[in-house]
Amino acid sequence: MLLPLVAWYIVFKYVPMYGVIISFKDYSIMSGIAGSDWANPWYKHFKMFFDSPYFTQLISNTLLISCYKLVFTMAPSIILAILLNECRSMFLKRWVQTLSYMPHFLSWVIVYGIALAFFSETNGLVNRWIEEIGLSTISFLGSPEWFRSVLVGTDVWKDLGWGAIIYIAAIAGIDPSLYEAAMMDGAGRLRRIWNITLPGIANVIVLLLILRLGHILDAGFEQIYIFYNVRVYSVGDIIDTWVYRTGLEQLNFSLASAVGLFKSVIGMVLVLGTNKIAKRWGGGIW
C-alpha cells in the first residue's frame, strides 16, 4: 500500500532536487543542466542576490508580511474555533461555519475583484462612504501606508474559517468529562476555555506554528503578484515577486534557483530551531 506513496515522493519530491544544481551553474536552456558551465565562483548567483540593492527591502518586506499574516490569521482562527465550540445553536453554528469556509475556495483574482469593489479610490464603496462624511478619499490599493493592511485583511477574510477546521477537530478530541467536572466545580465558560480548551489544543497550535515558520519566507506570491503595483513596490515587493521579475522573466534560472535554495535553507533552520525550543516546553514535532 505504501508503494504508490513512496513512488510519488521519489518522482515529484526527490528527483526534482537534481535541478538545484543549476544554482551553481550558468544555466543555458540550449546546453541543459549537464552541459551548462559551472559558475565562477560557485556562489556567483547567491552573491548576485545578496549584493542586490533591493536585498534588504525584499527581506524586510517578506518577513514583515509573513509575520503579520502569521499573527493575524492564527489567533482569529483559534478564537473562531472556540466560539463555534461554545455556540449552543446548531443552526447558527452551521451557518457561521459555512459562511466562513466559503471565501477559501475563491481564487485571489476574485478576491482582488471584491477588494477593488470596496477599496478602489475612484468608485469603491468605502471611499464613497468616506466622501459622504466630507473626508478625502484614500488610495488603499496604491498607498504604501495601507497596502500591507489590505493584504493581511484579505488573507484573514479568505482563510479564517478554513484555518479554524483543525482547531475545531482538536477541540472535539478533548475529553468531555473534563468539562463536566469543571462545571460541577462551578467553573464558568471563560474558566473552562482557559483551563481546558486552550491546554487541550496547545500541541496543535505549536505544531501549526512550527510548520508555518518553515514557510516564513513565503509571504504569498500569488496574492501579492495580483494585488501589487509599481506604487507599492517599497512595501509590497517580496523575494518571490522579485525572483519572478528578475529571474524568470529575464530567463535567469540560476538566480531563481539560488534564491529558492536560500529560502529552503532558512526555512529548514527555522523549523529545526522552533522545534527544539518547543521541546523544552513539552511540545515539538519529533
Side-chain angles (χ1 to χ4, degrees):
M1 292 294 289
L2 281 176
L3 190 58
L5 179 64
V6 173
W8 184 88
Y9 262 94
I10 291 174
V11 172
F12 293 105
K13 294 294 181 181
Y14 286 96
V15 172
M17 286 184 184
Y18 171 68
V20 171
I21 200 171
I22 69 174
S23 304
F24 308 99
K25 288 194 165 192
D26 292 325
Y27 177 70
S28 165
I29 296 177
M30 301 302 294
S31 303
I33 296 177
S36 299
D37 296 329
W38 290 98
N40 185 22
W42 61 271
Y43 52 84
K44 171 184 173 182
H45 301 291
F46 295 92
K47 189 174 185 299
M48 188 183 300
F49 176 56
F50 297 144
D51 290 345
S52 165
Y54 303 105
F55 177 74
T56 305
Q57 174 183 299
L58 294 171
I59 292 291
S60 62
N61 285 344
T62 305
L63 288 176
L64 279 174
I65 293 173
S66 288
C67 290
Y68 288 155
K69 287 185 175 181
L70 184 65
V71 172
F72 291 105
T73 55
M74 281 195 74
S77 295
I78 294 170
I79 293 171
L80 176 63
I82 293 173
L83 291 176
L84 289 173
N85 182 61
E86 294 297 323
C87 182
R88 295 294 172 257
S89 170
M90 291 304 296
F91 177 79
L92 178 62
K93 186 176 180 178
R94 287 172 182 168
W95 267 102
V96 172
Q97 280 184 295
T98 304
L99 290 175
S100 61
Y101 294 164
M102 286 175 64
H104 174 76
F105 299 100
L106 301 176
S107 71
W108 279 117
V109 176
I110 296 175
V111 174
Y112 178 71
I114 296 172
L116 202 60
F118 276 90
F119 301 116
S120 169
E121 188 174 7
T122 53
N123 54 6
L125 285 176
V126 175
N127 272 314
R128 289 183 66 181
W129 294 333
I130 290 175
E131 279 183 322
E132 286 179 2
I133 62 175
L135 299 177
S136 302
T137 58
I138 300 172
S139 177
F140 291 103
L141 298 172
S143 163
E145 290 78 18
W146 286 94
F147 184 69
R148 286 174 182 162
S149 300
V150 173
L151 280 182
V152 176
T154 50
D155 191 62
V156 170
W157 176 73
K158 189 173 186 292
D159 286 330
L160 174 64
W162 191 256
I165 291 177
I166 295 178
Y167 301 113
I168 292 172
I171 292 173
I174 297 175
D175 188 352
S177 65
L178 295 176
Y179 290 103
E180 294 170 3
M183 292 173 68
M184 292 289 288
D185 291 339
R189 284 194 174 189
L190 290 178
R191 180 64 65 182
R192 295 199 297 273
I193 291 171
W194 184 256
N195 288 332
I196 300 175
T197 306
L198 286 177
I201 62 173
N203 288 337
V204 176
I205 296 174
V206 172
L207 172 65
L208 293 180
L209 179 63
I210 292 172
L211 293 177
R212 294 198 63 168
L213 281 175
H215 296 278
I216 196 71
L217 293 183
D218 293 324
F221 168 76
E222 185 181 356
Q223 179 196 13
I224 295 175
Y225 189 72
I226 292 171
F227 274 68
Y228 84 159
N229 53 68
V230 177
R231 289 183 294 173
V232 294
Y233 272 4
S234 60
V235 296
D237 198 20
I238 60 172
I239 295 175
D240 287 338
T241 52
W242 181 81
V243 167
Y244 184 80
R245 292 199 315 274
T246 308
L248 299 184
E249 288 184 349
Q250 299 176 19
L251 302 183
N252 194 343
F253 297 109
S254 294
L255 175 63
S257 179
V259 177
L261 183 59
F262 165 74
K263 286 174 55 185
S264 299
V265 171
I266 296 296
M268 184 181 70
V269 170
L270 286 173
V271 168
L272 293 175
T274 311
N275 186 65
K276 190 172 183 179
I277 294 172
K279 284 176 71 175
R280 293 183 179 178
W281 294 341
I285 299 177
W286 64 88

